[in-house]
Amino acid sequence: MKLFNSMLSPYSSRVRIALYAKNVPCEIVTAPGGTGSAEFKALNPIGKVPALEDAGAVIIESEVICE
């Protein structure tokens, strides 16, 4: 599982807190090339963080990720 994250994003912070609280192992990384890059938009068409990638599926809404 990989979380694309920005340390200054309150939405990313919310997801990190939930992952830590639930003790979920997750690799936390920055968006490849930045959030507006074509490389990141291939994973997340909206181009915003957070985005959680697991087994080829990508979830892009912090509330859904936390659930």
Side-chain angles (χ1 to χ4, degrees):
M1 192 174 333
K2 188 182 294 187
L3 176 67
F4 296 97
N5 165 67
S6 169
M7 293 309 233
L8 298 177
S9 166
Y11 304 107
S12 293
S13 296
R14 172 183 178 177
V15 172
R16 287 193 316 271
I17 291 167
L19 290 172
Y20 296 145
K22 295 176 182 181
N23 201 24
V24 176
C26 185
E27 180 183 2
I28 299 174
V29 298
T30 58
T35 54
S37 72
E39 184 179 1
F40 184 61
K41 285 189 175 184
L43 291 170
N44 177 3
I46 296 173
K48 294 186 178 182
V49 291
L52 182 71
E53 180 181 33
D54 186 30
V58 179
I59 303 171
I60 59 173
E61 178 60 46
S62 65
E63 186 172 343
V64 177
I65 294 170
C66 288
E67 285 183 25

